[in-house]
Each structure stands twice: as structure tokens, then as C-alpha cells.
Amino acid sequence: MRLLLIEDDLMLGRPLLTGLRQDGHATDWVRSAADAHSAWLAPKPSIVPYEVIVLDLGLPDGSGLDLLRSARARGLRTPVLIVTARDRIADRVAGLDAGADDYMVKPIDLDELAARLRALDRRSGGRLENRIVLGDLAIDPVARSAILADKPVDLTAREFALLIALARRPGATVSREQLEEALYGWDDAADSNTIEVYIHHLRRKLGASAIETLRGLGYRLVEQAAR
Amino acid sequence: MSAGGWSLRRRLLVAIGGAALLGWCASSFWLYSEAIAETDRGFDVALDHAAHAVLALVANETRELRDAESGKGIELAQIDHLHGDPIVYQVRGPGGGIAYRSPGAPVEPLAHRDDRGFAFARADDRGFRVDTLATEDGAATIHVAQPLDERDAVANAVALKLLAPGAALLVVLALTIGWTVRAAAEPLIRYSRDLDRLAPAQSKPVDSTGLPDELQPVARAIDRLLVRVSDALLHERTLTADAAHELRTPLAALRLQAQVARRSTDARERDDALNELLAGTDRAARLVDSVLTLARYDAGRDLTLDGEPIEIAQLAHHVALEFKARAAQRGLTLELAAAANTWLTGDQDALGVALRNLIDNALRFARSRIRIEADAHGAGIHLAVLDDGPGMPPQVAGRAFDRFFRGEEQNSQRGPGAGLGLALVRRVAELHWGEVLLVDGIDGGCGVKLQLPVMLRTQQSKVTAR
């Protein structure tokens, strides 16, 4: 998933960023309310929207809650997971009521964070389980594996991230930019033809017709008839 | 009420009641003696009148006296008297024998013939007041007497009538004192009960209505104390909360770093994570050290503030040496400008900690130079660390010495501090009755200056005792 991590603390931010990327999330990290504002609330048109926001409440230049409220006031529906040291019930209630979808108290566990992010993803996709099934292709985000016609498919981390990005909204067209963002985040610029290379790899492993190219629009994962 | 002290009520009762009782006793004694003396004088006057009357009667009868005095004395009429027993008299002839006497008068002469005037006598087991008179020719002598018990009874009755209102007054006085003191103590008792019921961090004034005017200043002082105590408590709580948060964050970070290392499949990523973990552990350890040092200094423990004088210039020299290698590593020049005669009585370790923190900060921000200055200045020693970094932004300067306040980390060449360095420096300055302030550094950089007064040891011990 494409995530925005809003966390001011260097010591916490760095391992969180690494942990989220380990889980295959294309994560951007900002350390102030101002940066969060320009990345999430008022992004440049070229920026692909974030799918989940991981939000710390105590920011040096403002409150995370205010940021969340103004995002909701602007009609932004991005799921928000609050990660904070504020552990009182009143804080949790205030956080959830301000529009957060989930609330975690530090110290947090990366595995739990990953599970909660999957839950948020399930909910926003209207799915009942983590596993995404498309014809005879089954993708398991927890095990980070894919099974095609009962046979496991050997995928690299980036290939898998790309596949997830295509499969999360079955039948929807995913733009090249979205795929690039899903793969790298801001600070890891991709070559202009990197996506083509990975798409090529995926087609080789899943079948040539598994991914459709829509010229000028992007790519689409197509349901394969059971063989 | 403690065994050592007396309640106000008891003090007032004893003091005022005792004084009143003493006064009453004295005045009663005086009144009583006056009453007795006055009645005695009155009785004596009456007795004298009676005596002269009797004398006038017998003056013309001297011839018959000679005949009558041989016997036991002829009883004559008695002299009426207002009170109980009548006045008695004896009339003695020229020979000394009793010629006439009143009924009930003793048979024996009541006084010697020659003892003229008033005297006391005893006869028939009774005391008498006797007035002895004689005719001019000396042919007749008379004793007119009044029984003393009679006189005393009358005198006592008169005196008691005089004393009774005083005694009543004493009772009224005691009751009034008791009631007044009880009424005055009532608000005090209520006030202390209110104080007892106060919540620990209460800072609102306690209702002191009804307290005597003399105690209002005390109530005001207690109100002010409550504000101070609750402020201190609030400060303490904020600090504790801050410290908890500041200690929890690095631990949470360590946990994350450890987890990242465990999860990573890539050797380089794992190495990075483990290095982060180590650096994080060091930071956490430094933070704990700072918190503990600050706690120690807050409690004023392990400090020798009145030991042997130390030379600040010398201390600065030693500390500067410690940092020489690190400064060089960063391409920074570390200068020391130390004047002579910078002796100060203080804690060498604490001052060293303060100086190290200042140099540590300067290392973090300096571009090329750090200067340490130590000199004697009037009645104090000045110790400053200056750098040529970007300087402290005004919005940071106001809170620079607050605990757990971190400045702009972007300006720092190194990782973040714990936010305790300058707080520690300020505490050390306070412990030495000095102050710390921000000054201009080199080329628009930042500088921190400690101003430590040089005090005589006697002055110091006084301050410590306070």
C-alpha cells in the first residue's frame, strides 16, 4: 500500500519507515504538520494519493488531531491509523472521534501495525479476508505469497508489491504513476521503464494475458478463467 | 493540643481569670478590713456615747457609791442596743469595788481602774470591748463594754454584704471569658478542619471568614503557601510526565529497531538496523544518565558546595582537553581564554558536568570555532562557552533552559539531544547561587554564560541553612 507516515521523532520514525517498507508498503515519511499538510491535504496533482495515513499526534508545529480534523473537513476519506504515546481513554476517544479509523499506543509492534493496516485495507476494499482471489490466482498479503492454479508463484518483493497494487481493487485500472509510487515512495526514484520491466516479469510468471495494458491509462489485472 | 502547649482558651482563662481572682482577693481583703475597721469605729463611738451617758448619771451619785461598792454591785437598768446583746457597764466606787452594774455584766472588773479609754478584755469566757472613764474627782470609774462576738457578727455581716457583688462579678467574668474564647476558637477549629480536608494540589484560598483579624494574615500566608505548594506539585507532575514520555520513546524506538533487524532478510538492512539499535541504546543510556544526574542535583545530593575552593580556569582547561580530540575530528577549533584568580567554592563535579554539557552543545552547532571563557568579574566568576554556529532562534531562546525542550534539530550537526543539557547547566548554576544566561556567540553564533558569585564560606552556610 502507499502510506504516509507522519512522525516527528527521528528515533521512532526511522525504524517505523524501515518496518513499513519491509511489509511492502511504499511509505513516505514527513516529520511536521506543515509537511504532512502539503503531502496529504494539499498535494501536487502529480502525486498519487495515499491509501493509509499513519499519524503521530504530537507534532512540533501542530497537533495531529487538528490535521486529521481538517483532512476530514476537506472530505478526505483516507483511512487514518493514529500511533501515539497518549494512552488515556479520553485521548483514544478523541482520536477516533476526530475521524481516525484505528488507534495504537506506543510502544508498538511492527507485526501488529502490519495486521491493523491490512484490516484497514480490507475494510476500505470491502473484503472479508486478507486473501485476494481472482479466478485461479490467490494472493496472500500476510504470507506475501501468490498461488496460481494451486502452484506457488515465486515472486520478488517488488514484483509482489506491484501485484498487490494491481490486485487490491480487482478490475480497476492502475496508472503507471500509481504503480511507481506503490513501488518506491518519493526518495527512491525509478527509471522510466522500471514498471515495464516488472510487468514483464509478472506476465512471464502469471501468464501473458494476466495483465492488460490500457494505452495512456495504465494496467489492469484480468481474471483468468480456471484452466 | 500537644502536651507542650496550652490552648488559647486555657491561657486566656488562666491569665484573665487568675488576674481577676487575684484582684478580687486583694480588693476583698481591703474591703473586709475596711468594713471591720469602720464598724469597729462606729461601735466605739456608740460605746463612748453610752459610757459618757453612764458617767453623767453616776457623777452625782458618788456618795452612794462608797456604800454600794462593798457588795457585788447593784444591778441597774440595762442600756438598750439595736443589735442583740446589750451594752453592759460596771460602775466602781472610790475604793475600786463595783457599786453598780448592768444586768448580765460580769462581776469581776472588766479593766484596770487606771487604764482609761478603750481596751479589750475577757470575762465570763467572752471577749469585750471596754471603754473606761472616770469622774473628774476620781471618785467613780466606769467600764462600759460590748461583747466582741456581737460586734464581730455585725462587722462580718456588713463586710459580706460588701463582698457578695464582687464574687458574683467573678463568676460572670469567668463565664464571659469562657464563652468569648469558645466563640473565638470556633472559626479556628472550622478553619483547621477545612485545611485538613484539602486535596493535595489545592490552590484555592481557604475560607477564613469568622477568623479573628489577628489571624487573617496567617490565613493569607497559608493561602499563598497553598498556591506555592500546588505550583511546585504541578511542576513536579509535569516533569514526571515529561520524563516518563522521554524515557518511553527511546525504549519504543529500541523495540522497533530490534524488530526491524529480526524481520529483515537482507544482510545490509539488518546491519543498518542493528547499528541504529546500538546508537539508540547509547542515546537511551545518556538520557537516563542525564535524568538521574538532574534528579540528584534537584535533591541536592552528593554535592560538596562548601569544600575547598577550585580554580575555574583550571577546571575549564581540563574539560577542554577532554574535548580536544572530538573537536579536531569535526574540524573545529577549541579555544580557551582563562584569566587568573578564578577561585570559587563549589562542587567540582557539578561544574564539570555543566561545562561538558555546554561544550557538547557547542560541538553540535559550531561551524568552525568554539571558545571557552573563564574570568573573575567583580564579586563573581564568569564561565562562558561560545560557538560560531547559526545561533539560537528567538522562539527557542525563551525555553532553552526548560527540561526536555529540544531546539531545532535541523541545525544540529549531530543527532538529537535529550533536551536536558541546558536544564542541567541551569540547575548547577542555581546550586551555586548563580545564574545562567544566553549571550552572543562568535559571528552571530550562540553563547551560554554562567555567572557564579564568589561567597564567603560563612555566607554560604547561611544560605544552605535557609
Side-chain angles (χ1 to χ4, degrees), chain B residues 185-199:
Chain B
E186 187 63 36
L188 252 181
I189 291 165
R190 201 182 56 230
Y191 183 74
S192 56
R193 204 174 45 222
D194 287 351
L195 276 182
D196 278 343
R197 285 187 189 150
L198 279 188

Side-chain angles (χ1 to χ4, degrees), chain A residues 166-215:
Chain A
L166 285 166
R168 279 183 51 246
R169 279 177 296 150
T173 307
V174 186
S175 75
R176 217 182 103 109
E177 289 77 25
Q178 280 175 311
L179 289 180
E180 277 175 359
E181 291 287 354
L183 275 187
Y184 299 113
W186 287 342
D187 45 352
D188 199 1
D191 282 350
S192 54
N193 62 350
T194 313
I195 295 298
E196 276 84 353
V197 172
Y198 285 121
I199 292 286
H200 175 72
H201 289 170
L202 279 177
R203 279 182 176 146
R204 192 159 47 80
K205 290 176 180 177
L206 300 174
S209 58
I211 299 166
E212 235 176 43
T213 307
L214 299 148
R215 290 249 169 259

Side-chain angles (χ1 to χ4, degrees), chain A residues 65-158:
Chain A
L65 274 189
D66 289 344
L67 193 72
L68 175 55
R69 283 195 198 98
S70 52
R72 294 300 183 229
R74 281 162 188 252
L76 286 172
R77 292 169 182 277
T78 328
V80 170
L81 168 57
I82 289 178
V83 170
T84 178
R86 298 184 195 167
D87 57 352
R88 294 182 310 146
I89 300 286
D91 292 327
R92 298 176 201 221
V93 170
L96 292 170
D97 281 348
D101 297 88
D102 203 352
Y103 196 101
M104 280 182 85
V105 174
K106 294 170 185 173
I108 58 165
D109 185 276
L110 284 176
D111 293 339
E112 187 189 350
L113 177 62
R116 285 178 186 260
L117 287 173
R118 283 194 298 272
L120 285 181
D121 184 40
R122 273 204 311 275
R123 220 171 297 153
S124 61
R127 297 195 309 276
L128 285 176
E129 53 169 6
N130 288 323
R131 222 158 55 99
I132 303 168
V133 180
L134 207 67
D136 57 357
L137 174 67
I139 305 165
D140 185 348
V142 184
R144 308 188 62 71
S145 65
I147 291 168
L148 182 66
D150 298 331
K151 267 178 267 171
V153 185
D154 185 25
L155 294 170
T156 67
R158 292 198 171 177

